[in-house]
mmCIF file of all heavy atoms in Angstrom:
data_model
loop_
_atom_site.group_PDB
_atom_site.id
_atom_site.type_symbol
_atom_site.label_atom_id
_atom_site.label_comp_id
_atom_site.label_asym_id
_atom_site.label_seq_id
_atom_site.Cartn_x
_atom_site.Cartn_y
_atom_site.Cartn_z
ATOM 1 N N ASN A 32 32.376 -38.618 70.825
ATOM 2 C CA ASN A 32 31.861 -39.832 71.468
ATOM 3 C C ASN A 32 30.918 -39.467 72.635
ATOM 4 O O ASN A 32 29.843 -40.067 72.797
ATOM 5 C CB ASN A 32 33.060 -40.674 71.937
ATOM 6 C CG ASN A 32 32.637 -41.926 72.674
ATOM 7 O OD1 ASN A 32 33.123 -42.226 73.747
ATOM 8 N ND2 ASN A 32 31.691 -42.686 72.113
ATOM 9 N N LYS A 45 24.060 -38.714 82.747
ATOM 10 C CA LYS A 45 24.674 -37.539 83.363
ATOM 11 C C LYS A 45 26.154 -37.535 83.030
ATOM 12 O O LYS A 45 26.818 -38.585 83.049
ATOM 13 C CB LYS A 45 24.525 -37.577 84.887
ATOM 14 C CG LYS A 45 23.180 -37.090 85.386
ATOM 15 C CD LYS A 45 23.132 -35.582 85.372
ATOM 16 C CE LYS A 45 21.798 -35.033 85.843
ATOM 17 N NZ LYS A 45 21.667 -33.614 85.541
ATOM 18 N N ALA A 63 19.210 -40.251 90.094
ATOM 19 C CA ALA A 63 19.572 -41.654 89.825
ATOM 20 C C ALA A 63 19.716 -41.869 88.321
ATOM 21 O O ALA A 63 18.883 -42.515 87.681
ATOM 22 C CB ALA A 63 18.503 -42.579 90.395
ATOM 23 N N ASP A 69 31.726 -40.373 81.656
ATOM 24 C CA ASP A 69 32.919 -39.781 82.266
ATOM 25 C C ASP A 69 33.742 -39.097 81.169
ATOM 26 O O ASP A 69 34.246 -39.753 80.251
ATOM 27 C CB ASP A 69 33.728 -40.915 82.927
ATOM 28 C CG ASP A 69 34.940 -40.398 83.688
ATOM 29 O OD1 ASP A 69 35.281 -39.214 83.530
ATOM 30 O OD2 ASP A 69 35.536 -41.199 84.432
ATOM 31 N N PRO A 120 41.003 -27.606 99.503
ATOM 32 C CA PRO A 120 41.913 -28.093 98.456
ATOM 33 C C PRO A 120 41.485 -29.418 97.838
ATOM 34 O O PRO A 120 41.553 -29.586 96.619
ATOM 35 C CB PRO A 120 43.253 -28.212 99.185
ATOM 36 C CG PRO A 120 43.172 -27.160 100.246
ATOM 37 C CD PRO A 120 41.735 -27.119 100.687
ATOM 38 N N LEU A 132 29.532 -24.655 86.604
ATOM 39 C CA LEU A 132 28.540 -23.854 85.858
ATOM 40 C C LEU A 132 27.326 -24.703 85.492
ATOM 41 O O LEU A 132 26.187 -24.248 85.587
ATOM 42 C CB LEU A 132 29.176 -23.232 84.605
ATOM 43 C CG LEU A 132 30.381 -22.319 84.883
ATOM 44 C CD1 LEU A 132 30.899 -21.713 83.586
ATOM 45 C CD2 LEU A 132 30.043 -21.216 85.876
ATOM 46 N N ALA A 138 24.591 -20.534 95.262
ATOM 47 C CA ALA A 138 25.560 -20.044 96.242
ATOM 48 C C ALA A 138 27.002 -20.220 95.765
ATOM 49 O O ALA A 138 27.939 -19.937 96.498
ATOM 50 C CB ALA A 138 25.369 -20.772 97.572
ATOM 51 N N LEU A 148 32.044 -10.882 84.751
ATOM 52 C CA LEU A 148 33.094 -10.767 83.725
ATOM 53 C C LEU A 148 32.543 -10.834 82.309
ATOM 54 O O LEU A 148 33.298 -10.792 81.340
ATOM 55 C CB LEU A 148 34.149 -11.866 83.945
ATOM 56 C CG LEU A 148 34.895 -11.772 85.295
ATOM 57 C CD1 LEU A 148 35.796 -12.983 85.504
ATOM 58 C CD2 LEU A 148 35.712 -10.481 85.380
ATOM 59 N N THR A 151 30.894 -15.812 77.977
ATOM 60 C CA THR A 151 30.065 -16.563 77.029
ATOM 61 C C THR A 151 30.326 -18.038 77.297
ATOM 62 O O THR A 151 31.487 -18.470 77.366
ATOM 63 C CB THR A 151 30.471 -16.227 75.574
ATOM 64 O OG1 THR A 151 30.319 -14.823 75.391
ATOM 65 C CG2 THR A 151 29.601 -16.972 74.563
ATOM 66 N N ARG A 161 26.358 -23.925 70.490
ATOM 67 C CA ARG A 161 25.609 -22.744 70.942
ATOM 68 C C ARG A 161 26.516 -21.917 71.828
ATOM 69 O O ARG A 161 27.251 -22.455 72.658
ATOM 70 C CB ARG A 161 24.366 -23.146 71.749
ATOM 71 C CG ARG A 161 23.290 -23.779 70.918
ATOM 72 C CD ARG A 161 21.927 -23.680 71.611
ATOM 73 N NE ARG A 161 21.856 -24.382 72.866
ATOM 74 C CZ ARG A 161 21.130 -23.966 73.914
ATOM 75 N NH1 ARG A 161 20.459 -22.821 73.855
ATOM 76 N NH2 ARG A 161 21.092 -24.681 75.039
ATOM 77 N N GLY A 171 17.764 -21.004 87.324
ATOM 78 C CA GLY A 171 17.133 -21.308 88.605
ATOM 79 C C GLY A 171 18.049 -22.209 89.413
ATOM 80 O O GLY A 171 19.182 -22.460 89.016
ATOM 81 N N PHE A 199 36.145 -8.861 95.696
ATOM 82 C CA PHE A 199 35.466 -10.137 95.935
ATOM 83 C C PHE A 199 35.388 -10.351 97.440
ATOM 84 O O PHE A 199 36.373 -10.223 98.161
ATOM 85 C CB PHE A 199 36.227 -11.314 95.306
ATOM 86 C CG PHE A 199 35.486 -12.609 95.512
ATOM 87 C CD1 PHE A 199 34.560 -13.030 94.576
ATOM 88 C CD2 PHE A 199 35.628 -13.356 96.675
ATOM 89 C CE1 PHE A 199 33.815 -14.186 94.782
ATOM 90 C CE2 PHE A 199 34.892 -14.507 96.895
ATOM 91 C CZ PHE A 199 33.990 -14.928 95.939
ATOM 92 N N LEU A 230 28.301 -5.737 89.209
ATOM 93 C CA LEU A 230 28.125 -6.342 90.526
ATOM 94 C C LEU A 230 27.456 -7.699 90.378
ATOM 95 O O LEU A 230 26.271 -7.768 90.047
ATOM 96 C CB LEU A 230 27.231 -5.452 91.405
ATOM 97 C CG LEU A 230 27.698 -4.013 91.660
ATOM 98 C CD1 LEU A 230 26.594 -3.220 92.372
ATOM 99 C CD2 LEU A 230 28.968 -4.025 92.516
ATOM 100 N N ALA A 234 24.069 -16.279 96.091
ATOM 101 C CA ALA A 234 23.304 -16.684 97.283
ATOM 102 C C ALA A 234 22.295 -15.613 97.700
ATOM 103 O O ALA A 234 22.001 -15.451 98.885
ATOM 104 C CB ALA A 234 24.230 -17.061 98.435
ATOM 105 N N ALA A 280 15.727 -11.753 105.276
ATOM 106 C CA ALA A 280 16.059 -10.413 105.803
ATOM 107 C C ALA A 280 17.558 -10.317 106.072
ATOM 108 O O ALA A 280 18.197 -9.296 105.762
ATOM 109 C CB ALA A 280 15.270 -10.158 107.081
ATOM 110 N N HIS A 304 31.471 3.240 103.750
ATOM 111 C CA HIS A 304 31.314 1.983 104.483
ATOM 112 C C HIS A 304 30.736 2.255 105.861
ATOM 113 O O HIS A 304 29.757 1.652 106.282
ATOM 114 C CB HIS A 304 32.662 1.279 104.602
ATOM 115 C CG HIS A 304 32.565 -0.066 105.255
ATOM 116 N ND1 HIS A 304 33.640 -0.711 105.754
ATOM 117 C CD2 HIS A 304 31.503 -0.854 105.493
ATOM 118 C CE1 HIS A 304 33.258 -1.868 106.276
ATOM 119 N NE2 HIS A 304 31.959 -1.968 106.125
ATOM 120 N N ALA A 307 27.023 3.470 105.567
ATOM 121 C CA ALA A 307 26.028 2.547 105.003
ATOM 122 C C ALA A 307 25.791 1.325 105.850
ATOM 123 O O ALA A 307 24.706 0.770 105.824
ATOM 124 C CB ALA A 307 26.490 2.109 103.624
#
Side-chain angles (χ1 to χ4, degrees):
N32 177 229
K45 278 282 179 193
D69 184 348
L132 301 182
L148 298 173
T151 302
R161 290 201 297 146
F199 182 90
L230 302 172
H304 184 197

